[in-house]
Each structure stands twice: as structure tokens, then as C-alpha cells.
């Protein structure tokens, strides 16, 4: 069997060589061009002499030496192969008439070169990618190093700053400056204000001194006179000292702008201008700087109502005031007020009037009047009368008397309106005083005075905005305790007046 296979392989190889490299007879005529029926039939008898019908396998594919060697390699058991194509079918590798083996080698070489070029391009691309990755890694590493170094430097700077003492003045303190502490300010905010005003060298130094002084918890909103270029500890001590508070004025209920003198005692009653002047002093005598009473009186008589801060709801009536020196009465409210004493008299009055107007409006002044038929400024005037005529428990009833009399056009006949134009005042007034016609004397005219006659309290203002229901037309205070009797009957009112005379409260000192 082996010998027969060997001989068959030899015949196959010879026939294959003859097919690939045909002889050219007849002057170059290729035997492969002869028609199939003229081609000599193959000698099949040679294949059958060994009694086998196995036909060697071949295909129209390119064989190189390695492929041929693999085909010739003996195998334990031969496997049937696919019959060859028809003899007349043209081999794929013989298109150009060149030997098949040469064509295969050429193609193989082309594939090898092409494969080499492809591999070279892939290797170059991978090398470029590796180079790019290395470059990116170096960039990232450099950025990371810069960040680490920067963070370390910043931390070192902060550490050195925390260890170094805060910048501070050594002294001595310089000129006085006014600083403001706002409501809700923290120690840090106050420290910033001190630094901005040049009081301390750094806010850190002031803060460190402030946290060591427990009196800082008692500092109130307002204005304080402290010295520039002060050591932080000195500045804190000055701030918490009561003597450093400036521009803080306390105005009692019923106070008027100008000074008055009591008829019985001769004691002066300081007016609002006097109190403002005293609160405006910055520094100590004899170098203290103050706004004077006369300066405030002159500024208060100005016709520039906008500069004075007169609210819109009062401008028309204030502009028509019969006495310019009294035109701002009632527009500065009773209570504790703060102003910047480093400003001039006009600026000071503006601050106080603006703050007072906001306080009045907070009571609902601008929305009142529906029941009383009074505008805001008229309500303020009536409230000033209530303040001068009654104690707090009786204020709503006095307000009702005012409303009831205005409705029937009955004169109010309040002694407080008589006293307003007098420099010497008392509870009881004389017939001559009551008979003197002035823009404020309600004995001599009907209706309200030309302007408020005092600084009303918020209680008086609220009473006037919401009078107590009643038909009262008369009232009189019958003793020095302030007991007041109300009635709608004039005859009963006369009997109440007798009670007042018996108590001595209506005795005149003139």
C-alpha cells in the first residue's frame, strides 16, 4: 500500500510539473490553448495498475515550498481528497503566463513586505502613545508637586502668621475719633471698624484684647469717642468705659424744644436742644468739641425741610408754621436716641428726626385717621396734647374728649396749650394768659394748635390713633396724684372743678 501511494505521488508530481510548465511545440503554441477535445486524454491506466482509485488532491491555490512539503509528508492513513477541477478550467495563478510557483513567491513576498510595513506603523503608533502617556504622567506629576509645595507654603505662612504677634500700636494714643457700634455687631465686626477708623493697627490685635475683657459683653449700639493709634488693650478699655459714649440723648415724654422755668420753684426745665447739645460733646474740657444750643436753635428754624429730615406727611404743615423756631416741635420723639456728634447741627437734627419719624410710623400712624378723621400730622399734634394733659391710664379717654370736641367744633380749652408759648409755666393758668390769642391757645380758638406742643410718647400716640369709645366732653385732674374725672355733663364738670380747687392743685403761683 505504501509503495503504491509513493508511486502515485511521483506520477502526480510529474503530471503537476507538466501542467505548470507545459512544453511548447509547433512554434510556441501553448498546449493549454488547445481545445479540450483535442487534448490528449490522460493515461489513467497508470493509476490503476496498482489497483487503487485514489486521486491526489489539488486546488487552484498558491502553493509554496512549505505547503508542498506538508502535502508530501506521509500520514498514517490517507484521506480521500477532492477531485481536481476540469482539465480545461484555467488555473487562477496562471493569468499572466508566468510560472505558478514564481507568482506565489511574489505574492508571499508582497504580503510579507506589506505586513512588515503594517507592523512598523503599529509599532510606531504604540511607541507614540507610550511617549504621550509618559509625557502626561510627567505633567500630572509636576502639577501635583506644585500643588503640594504651594499648600505647604500656604500652611507655613498661616502657621507663621498664627505664631507671630498681631500688629499693634505702641502708643501714645492720638486724636479722638467717633466710631459707631451697630445693633447686632460682633466682636470681629467691631474690630474691623476700629481698624478702618485708624484706632488700632490691626483688627486681630483688637479682637485678642476684646476677648480678654468681659465688659465687651455690655457694649451697647451707639457712638463712641476713642483715640487713634491706640494700643489694642487701651482701645478696648476706652470702648467699654461709660465716659466714651457720645451722641446718646434721653428725651423725656412731653419735653419741648426750648427751655422752660417752673413758676413755683424757678427751676429750669431743659429743652430738647439743650439735651442734644450736652450729648454732642466729644472729648473733655476745655478741649471738648460740642454743638451749642444756639446752633441747634438756628438750624431748627431752617426752611430747608428736606435737609432737616422732615417726613413727607408733615412737610406742608411745617412749611406753614407761624413760628420757625417752633416748627420742629414734636418731630423729635421721646425716648433714647443716638446721633453722630461729629456732624454739624443740621446733620444731627436730621438723624434724630428721621429716627423719630420711623418710630412714629411703626405704630400705624400713616394708616390711622379713619375713625378720628385726622391726618398723620394732626394725630401727632393731638397726641402731644394727650401727653401733656393725662397720665398713661387716662390717655385713651383724653383722646376721645379731643375727638368729640373737634367734631362739634367746641374749643378744647387745654391749659397746656396756653403754657406752650410761655417761658414760665404752671398747671393753673391765669385769665390773662388764657385770653391771649396765640396760634396754640385753645381757649382763644377752636381746633388743634398749629404744631405739636411736646414730644409725645408712643403710648400717647397709640391712644390718639385708637381713642377709647365714650361720649365724654370734659375732664379735670382733681389732685396732685393725678386723679382725673371725665363727664359729658357740663354741670357735673363744674362740680369736679370745685374738687380740684379744694385740693389746691389749681392754685396759681403768679
Amino acid at each position: 500500500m505504501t509503495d503504491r501511494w509513493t508511486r502515485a505521488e511521483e506520477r502526480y508530481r510529474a503530471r503537476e510539473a507538466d501542467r505548470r510548465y507545459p512544453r511548447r511545440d509547433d512554434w510556441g503554441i501553448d498546449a493549454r490553448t488547445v481545445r479540450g477535445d483535442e487534448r490528449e486524454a490522460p493515461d489513467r491506466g497508470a493509476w490503476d495498475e496498482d489497483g487503487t482509485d485514489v486521486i491526489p488532491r489539488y486546488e487552484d491555490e498558491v502553493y509554496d515550498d512549505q505547503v508542498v512539503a506538508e502535502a508530501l509528508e506521509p500520514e498514517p492513513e490517507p484521506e480521500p481528497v477532492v477531485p481536481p477541477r476540469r482539465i480545461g478550467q484555467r488555473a487562477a495563478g496562471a493569468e499572466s503566463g508566468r510560472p505558478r510557483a514564481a507568482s506565489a513567491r511574489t505574492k508571499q513576498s508582497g504580503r510579507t513586505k506589506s505586513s512588515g510595513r503594517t507592523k512598523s506603523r503599529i509599532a510606531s503608533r504604540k511607541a507614540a502613545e507610550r511617549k504621550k502617556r509618559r509625557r502626561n504622567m510627567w505633567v500630572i506629576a509636576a502639577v501635583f508637586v506644585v500643588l503640594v509645595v504651594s499648600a505647604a507654603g500656604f500652611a507655613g505662612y498661616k502657621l507663621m502668621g498664627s505664631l507671630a504677634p498681631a500688629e499693634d500700636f505702641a502708643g501714645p494714643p492720638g486724636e479722638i475719633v467717633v466710631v459707631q457700634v451697630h445693633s447686632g455687631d460682633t466682636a470681629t465686626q467691631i474690630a474691623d471698624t476700629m481698624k478702618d477708623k485708624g484706632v488700632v493697627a490691626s483688627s486681630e490685635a483688637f479682637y485678642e484684647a476684646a476677648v480678654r475683657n468681659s465688659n465687651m459683653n455690655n457694649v451697647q449700639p451707639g457712638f463712641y469717642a476713642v483715640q487713634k493709634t491706640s494700643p489694642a488693650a487701651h482701645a478696648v478699655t476706652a470702648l467699654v468705659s461709660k465716659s466714651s459714649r457720645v451722641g446718646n440723648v434721653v428725651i423725656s415724654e412731653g419735653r419741648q424744644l426750648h427751655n422752660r422755668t417752673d413758676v413755683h420753684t424757678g427751676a429750669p426745665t431743659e429743652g430738647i436742644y439743650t439735651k442734644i447739645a450736652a450729648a454732642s460733646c466729644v472729648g473733655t474740657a476745655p478741649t471738648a468739641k460740642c454743638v451749642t444750643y444756639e446752633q441747634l436753635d438756628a438750624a431748627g428754624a431752617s426752611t430747608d425741610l428736606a435737609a432737616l429730615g422732615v417726613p413727607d406727611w408733615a412737610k406742608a404743615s411745617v412749611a406753614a408754621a407761624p413760628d420757625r423756631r417752633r416748627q420742629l416741635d414734636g418731630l423729635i420723639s421721646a425716648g433714647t436716641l443716638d446721633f453722630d456728634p461729629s456732624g454739624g447741627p443740621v446733620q444731627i437734627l436730621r438723624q434724630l428726626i428721621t429716627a423719630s419719624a420711623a418710630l412714629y410710623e411703626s405704630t400705624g400712624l400713616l394708616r390711622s385717621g379713619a375713625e378720628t378723621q385726622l391726618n398723620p400730622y394732626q394725630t401727632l399734634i393731638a397726641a402731644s396734647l394727650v401727653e401733656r394733659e393725662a397720665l398713661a391710664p387716662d390717655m385713651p379717654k383724653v383722646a376721645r374728649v379731643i375727638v368729640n370736641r373737634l367734631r362739634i367744633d367746641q374749643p378744647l380749652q387745654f391749659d397746656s396749650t396756653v403754657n406752650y408759648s410761655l417761658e414760665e409755666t404752671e398747671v393753673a393758668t391765669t385769665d390773662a394768659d388764657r385770653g391771649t390769642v396765640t396760634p396754640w391757645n385753645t381757649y382763644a380758638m377752636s381746633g388743634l394748635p398749629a404744631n405739636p406742643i411736646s414730644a409725645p410718647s408712643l403710648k400717647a400716640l397709640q391712644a390718639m390713633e385708637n381713642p377709647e369709645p365714650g361720649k365724654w366732653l370734659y375732664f379735670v385732674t382733681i389732685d396732685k396724684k393725678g386723679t382725673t374725672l371725665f363727664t359729658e355733663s357740663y354741670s357735673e364738670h363744674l362740680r369736679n372743678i370745685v374738687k380740684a380747687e379744694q385740693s389746691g392743685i389749681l392754685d396759681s403761683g403768679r
Side-chain angles (χ1 to χ4, degrees), residues 204-213 216 232-233 236:
E204 292 81 4
F206 182 89
Y207 181 82
E208 291 174 3
V211 296
R212 292 194 296 266
N213 193 321
M216 276 293 296
V236 172

Side-chain angles (χ1 to χ4, degrees), residues 274-296:
T274 298
K275 288 187 169 294
I276 295 173
S280 70
C281 294
V282 176
T284 56
T287 60
K289 296 180 180 180
C290 306
V291 176
T292 65
Y293 173 94
E294 291 75 18
Q295 289 175 323
L296 291 167

Side-chain angles (χ1 to χ4, degrees), residues 305 310-322 324 327 331 375 377 450:
L305 304 184
V310 175
D312 292 338
W313 47 266
K315 281 182 179 178
S317 297
V318 173
R324 289 292 169 202
Q327 67 180 356
L331 291 177
N375 64 40
Y377 189 70

Side-chain angles (χ1 to χ4, degrees), residues 5-316:
W5 172 255
T6 300
R7 287 192 299 271
E9 280 293 308
E10 289 175 353
R11 286 192 298 272
Y12 166 75
R13 289 170 65 92
R15 184 177 180 280
E16 183 67 16
D18 183 67
R19 188 181 67 83
R20 293 187 178 182
Y21 306 103
R23 289 174 302 173
R24 285 179 169 79
D25 298 328
D26 299 329
W27 299 101
I29 299 175
D30 192 343
R32 287 174 298 179
T33 62
V34 180
R35 288 177 303 178
D37 55 353
E38 297 178 2
R39 185 171 302 179
E40 187 176 2
D43 184 9
R44 295 185 179 272
W47 292 89
D48 297 340
E49 68 179 14
D50 290 330
T52 178
D53 57 356
V54 176
I55 300 175
R57 176 186 178 187
Y58 73 95
E59 293 180 353
D60 289 342
E61 294 181 0
V62 178
Y63 292 91
D64 55 18
D65 295 341
Q66 182 178 358
V67 174
V68 172
E70 291 176 354
L72 295 176
E73 191 172 284
E75 296 180 1
E77 291 294 334
E79 296 180 0
V81 295
V82 178
R85 299 176 184 267
R86 288 186 299 109
I87 294 175
Q89 185 174 357
R90 189 177 182 181
E95 294 176 354
S96 63
R98 291 178 298 174
R100 180 74 175 182
S103 176
R105 284 195 297 270
T106 301
K107 292 186 177 181
Q108 179 67 24
S109 175
R111 284 199 297 270
T112 302
K113 291 180 181 180
S114 177
S115 176
R117 287 194 298 270
T118 302
K119 291 181 179 178
S120 177
R121 287 196 297 271
I122 293 174
S124 299
R125 185 167 61 252
K126 290 184 177 180
E129 291 178 353
R130 287 195 298 270
K131 183 177 180 180
K132 183 177 180 181
R133 284 197 297 269
R134 285 196 298 270
R135 184 171 62 249
N136 291 341
M137 290 179 65
W138 277 110
V139 171
I140 294 172
V143 172
F144 178 75
V145 170
V146 170
L147 291 176
V148 171
V149 172
S150 300
F154 179 75
Y157 170 77
K158 295 297 290 183
L159 178 61
M160 293 299 294
S162 62
L163 296 177
E167 184 181 359
D168 199 2
F169 290 127
E175 63 176 317
I176 294 177
V177 65
V178 176
V179 298
Q180 182 179 9
V181 175
H182 298 89
S183 178
D185 273 359
T186 63
T188 301
Q189 291 169 321
I190 297 174
D192 291 340
T193 301
M194 291 290 187
K195 172 63 172 59
D196 294 341
K197 286 286 188 176
V199 177
V200 294
S202 66
S203 57
E204 292 81 4
F206 182 89
Y207 181 82
E208 291 174 3
V211 296
R212 292 194 296 266
N213 193 321
S214 60
N215 289 327
M216 276 293 296
N217 297 326
N218 300 324
V219 174
Q220 299 296 316
F223 296 88
Y224 295 83
V226 292
Q227 293 175 286
K228 286 186 174 182
T229 64
S230 295
H234 183 279
V236 172
T237 301
L239 183 65
V240 300
S241 174
K242 292 182 179 180
S243 61
S244 67
R245 183 79 178 268
V246 293
N248 180 249
V249 60
V250 179
I251 299 174
S252 58
E253 295 85 349
R255 189 75 58 169
Q256 297 169 333
L257 288 176
H258 302 92
N259 298 338
R260 295 288 190 272
T261 302
D262 187 87
V263 171
H264 294 281
T265 64
T269 301
E270 292 181 341
I272 292 174
Y273 286 154
T274 298
K275 288 187 169 294
I276 295 173
S280 70
C281 294
V282 176
T284 56
T287 60
K289 296 180 180 180
C290 306
V291 176
T292 65
Y293 173 94
E294 291 75 18
Q295 289 175 323
L296 291 167
D297 187 30
S302 171
T303 57
D304 189 353
L305 304 184
L308 291 171
V310 175
D312 292 338
W313 47 266
K315 281 182 179 178

Side-chain angles (χ1 to χ4, degrees), residues 373-388:
Q373 300 302 306
L374 301 176
N375 64 40
Y377 189 70
Q378 290 172 331
T379 302
L380 186 63
I381 294 174
S384 72
L385 302 182
V386 172
E387 187 65 55
R388 296 288 292 182

Side-chain angles (χ1 to χ4, degrees), residues 371-372 374 382-383 385-386 389-390 394-414 442 447-448 463-464 466-477 484-489 493 496:
E371 196 274 332
T372 63
L374 301 176
L385 302 182
V386 172
E389 291 286 338
D394 296 322
M395 285 181 176
K397 288 184 177 181
V398 172
R400 175 54 63 185
V401 171
I402 293 172
V403 172
N404 289 343
R405 286 199 175 194
L406 291 176
R407 283 178 176 173
I408 63 176
D409 198 26
Q410 180 178 338
L412 297 179
Q413 296 181 330
F414 286 176
T442 57
L448 294 168
M464 198 64 239
N466 300 282
E468 185 173 330
K471 297 180 180 181
W472 309 292
L473 291 173
Y474 308 97
F475 68 92
V476 61
T477 301
T484 303
L485 301 177
F486 294 83
T487 181
E488 59 180 301
S489 168
H493 176 59
N496 292 335

